[in-house]
Short mmCIF file of all heavy atoms in Angstrom, two decimals:
data_model
loop_
_atom_site.label_atom_id
_atom_site.label_comp_id
_atom_site.label_asym_id
_atom_site.label_seq_id
_atom_site.Cartn_x
_atom_site.Cartn_y
_atom_site.Cartn_z
N VAL B 84 12.66 -14.66 16.61
CA VAL B 84 12.52 -13.42 15.80
C VAL B 84 13.41 -12.39 16.51
O VAL B 84 13.11 -12.04 17.69
CB VAL B 84 11.09 -12.88 15.74
CG1 VAL B 84 11.00 -11.60 14.94
CG2 VAL B 84 10.18 -14.00 15.13
N GLN B 100 2.31 -9.25 7.25
CA GLN B 100 2.83 -10.27 6.33
C GLN B 100 2.74 -11.66 6.98
O GLN B 100 2.67 -12.65 6.21
CB GLN B 100 4.29 -9.95 5.97
CG GLN B 100 4.39 -8.78 4.98
CD GLN B 100 3.55 -9.02 3.73
OE1 GLN B 100 3.74 -10.11 3.08
NE2 GLN B 100 2.71 -8.06 3.39
N CYS B 101 2.88 -11.70 8.26
CA CYS B 101 3.01 -13.06 8.79
C CYS B 101 1.65 -13.71 8.97
O CYS B 101 0.83 -13.32 9.74
CB CYS B 101 3.73 -12.99 10.19
SG CYS B 101 3.87 -14.59 11.00
N TYR B 103 1.27 -16.53 10.24
CA TYR B 103 1.18 -17.38 11.45
C TYR B 103 0.96 -16.49 12.64
O TYR B 103 1.06 -16.95 13.85
CB TYR B 103 2.46 -18.15 11.54
CG TYR B 103 2.60 -19.26 10.49
CD1 TYR B 103 3.31 -18.90 9.25
CD2 TYR B 103 1.91 -20.39 10.51
CE1 TYR B 103 3.32 -19.84 8.27
CE2 TYR B 103 1.95 -21.33 9.57
CZ TYR B 103 2.69 -21.10 8.38
OH TYR B 103 2.76 -21.96 7.35
N VAL B 105 2.64 -14.23 14.16
CA VAL B 105 3.79 -14.14 15.14
C VAL B 105 3.90 -12.70 15.62
O VAL B 105 4.01 -12.49 16.84
CB VAL B 105 5.17 -14.58 14.38
CG1 VAL B 105 6.29 -14.27 15.28
CG2 VAL B 105 5.09 -16.06 14.00
N HIS B 106 3.91 -11.82 14.69
CA HIS B 106 4.00 -10.46 15.07
C HIS B 106 2.69 -9.82 15.44
O HIS B 106 1.63 -10.21 14.82
CB HIS B 106 4.56 -9.54 13.89
CG HIS B 106 5.83 -10.07 13.36
ND1 HIS B 106 7.04 -9.73 13.85
CD2 HIS B 106 6.09 -10.99 12.41
CE1 HIS B 106 8.06 -10.32 13.15
NE2 HIS B 106 7.42 -11.10 12.32
N LYS B 121 5.46 -19.20 17.59
CA LYS B 121 4.59 -19.48 16.38
C LYS B 121 5.43 -19.48 15.06
O LYS B 121 4.90 -19.82 14.02
CB LYS B 121 3.47 -18.47 16.33
CG LYS B 121 2.46 -18.66 17.39
CD LYS B 121 1.41 -17.57 17.13
CE LYS B 121 0.32 -17.59 18.23
NZ LYS B 121 -0.31 -16.19 18.42
N CYS B 122 6.65 -18.91 15.15
CA CYS B 122 7.40 -18.72 13.91
C CYS B 122 7.80 -20.05 13.23
O CYS B 122 8.36 -20.98 13.97
CB CYS B 122 8.58 -17.87 14.21
SG CYS B 122 9.58 -17.61 12.72
N VAL B 123 7.59 -20.18 11.91
CA VAL B 123 7.98 -21.39 11.20
C VAL B 123 9.26 -21.17 10.41
O VAL B 123 9.74 -21.96 9.64
CB VAL B 123 6.77 -21.81 10.32
CG1 VAL B 123 5.54 -21.98 11.03
CG2 VAL B 123 6.71 -20.93 9.09
N GLY B 124 9.81 -19.91 10.52
CA GLY B 124 11.07 -19.69 9.79
C GLY B 124 10.95 -19.49 8.32
O GLY B 124 11.76 -19.87 7.55
N CYS B 125 9.88 -18.81 7.93
CA CYS B 125 9.65 -18.69 6.40
C CYS B 125 10.31 -17.41 5.89
O CYS B 125 10.52 -17.25 4.75
CB CYS B 125 8.21 -18.54 6.15
SG CYS B 125 7.44 -16.92 6.56
N HIS B 126 10.73 -16.57 6.76
CA HIS B 126 11.44 -15.35 6.51
C HIS B 126 10.74 -14.26 5.61
O HIS B 126 11.31 -13.38 5.08
CB HIS B 126 12.81 -15.63 5.71
CG HIS B 126 13.76 -16.48 6.55
ND1 HIS B 126 14.76 -15.88 7.25
CD2 HIS B 126 13.85 -17.81 6.88
CE1 HIS B 126 15.44 -16.87 7.89
NE2 HIS B 126 14.91 -18.00 7.71
N ARG B 127 9.43 -14.42 5.67
CA ARG B 127 8.66 -13.51 4.83
C ARG B 127 8.79 -12.02 5.48
O ARG B 127 8.98 -11.10 4.82
CB ARG B 127 7.19 -13.84 4.76
CG ARG B 127 6.23 -12.91 4.13
CD ARG B 127 6.42 -12.93 2.65
NE ARG B 127 5.55 -11.90 2.01
CZ ARG B 127 5.41 -11.77 0.70
NH1 ARG B 127 6.18 -12.50 -0.10
NH2 ARG B 127 4.63 -10.82 0.24
N CYS B 128 8.68 -11.97 6.75
CA CYS B 128 8.70 -10.72 7.50
C CYS B 128 10.13 -10.08 7.23
O CYS B 128 10.20 -8.85 7.03
CB CYS B 128 8.40 -10.84 8.94
SG CYS B 128 9.52 -12.10 9.71
N ILE B 139 15.62 -13.63 11.40
CA ILE B 139 15.09 -14.87 11.93
C ILE B 139 16.21 -15.83 12.20
O ILE B 139 16.96 -16.14 11.28
CB ILE B 139 14.03 -15.60 10.94
CG1 ILE B 139 12.91 -14.58 10.52
CG2 ILE B 139 13.47 -16.85 11.56
CD1 ILE B 139 12.00 -14.19 11.70
N PRO B 465 3.09 -17.99 3.85
CA PRO B 465 3.22 -16.48 3.75
C PRO B 465 3.75 -16.01 2.44
O PRO B 465 3.64 -14.83 2.18
CB PRO B 465 4.18 -16.10 4.93
CG PRO B 465 4.13 -17.35 5.78
CD PRO B 465 3.91 -18.45 4.95
S1 SF4 D 126 6.63 -14.31 8.60
FE1 SF4 D 126 7.52 -16.28 8.71
S2 SF4 D 126 9.61 -15.89 9.45
FE2 SF4 D 126 8.45 -14.06 9.91
S3 SF4 D 126 7.58 -14.38 11.93
FE3 SF4 D 126 6.05 -15.12 10.47
S4 SF4 D 126 6.49 -17.33 10.33
FE4 SF4 D 126 8.30 -16.35 11.28
#
Side-chain angles (χ1 to χ4, degrees):
Chain B
V84 178
Q100 288 304 307
C101 180
Y103 292 98
V105 173
H106 305 270
K121 292 182 183 155
C122 177
V123 307
C125 76
H126 295 266
R127 176 74 184 181
C128 54
I139 303 295

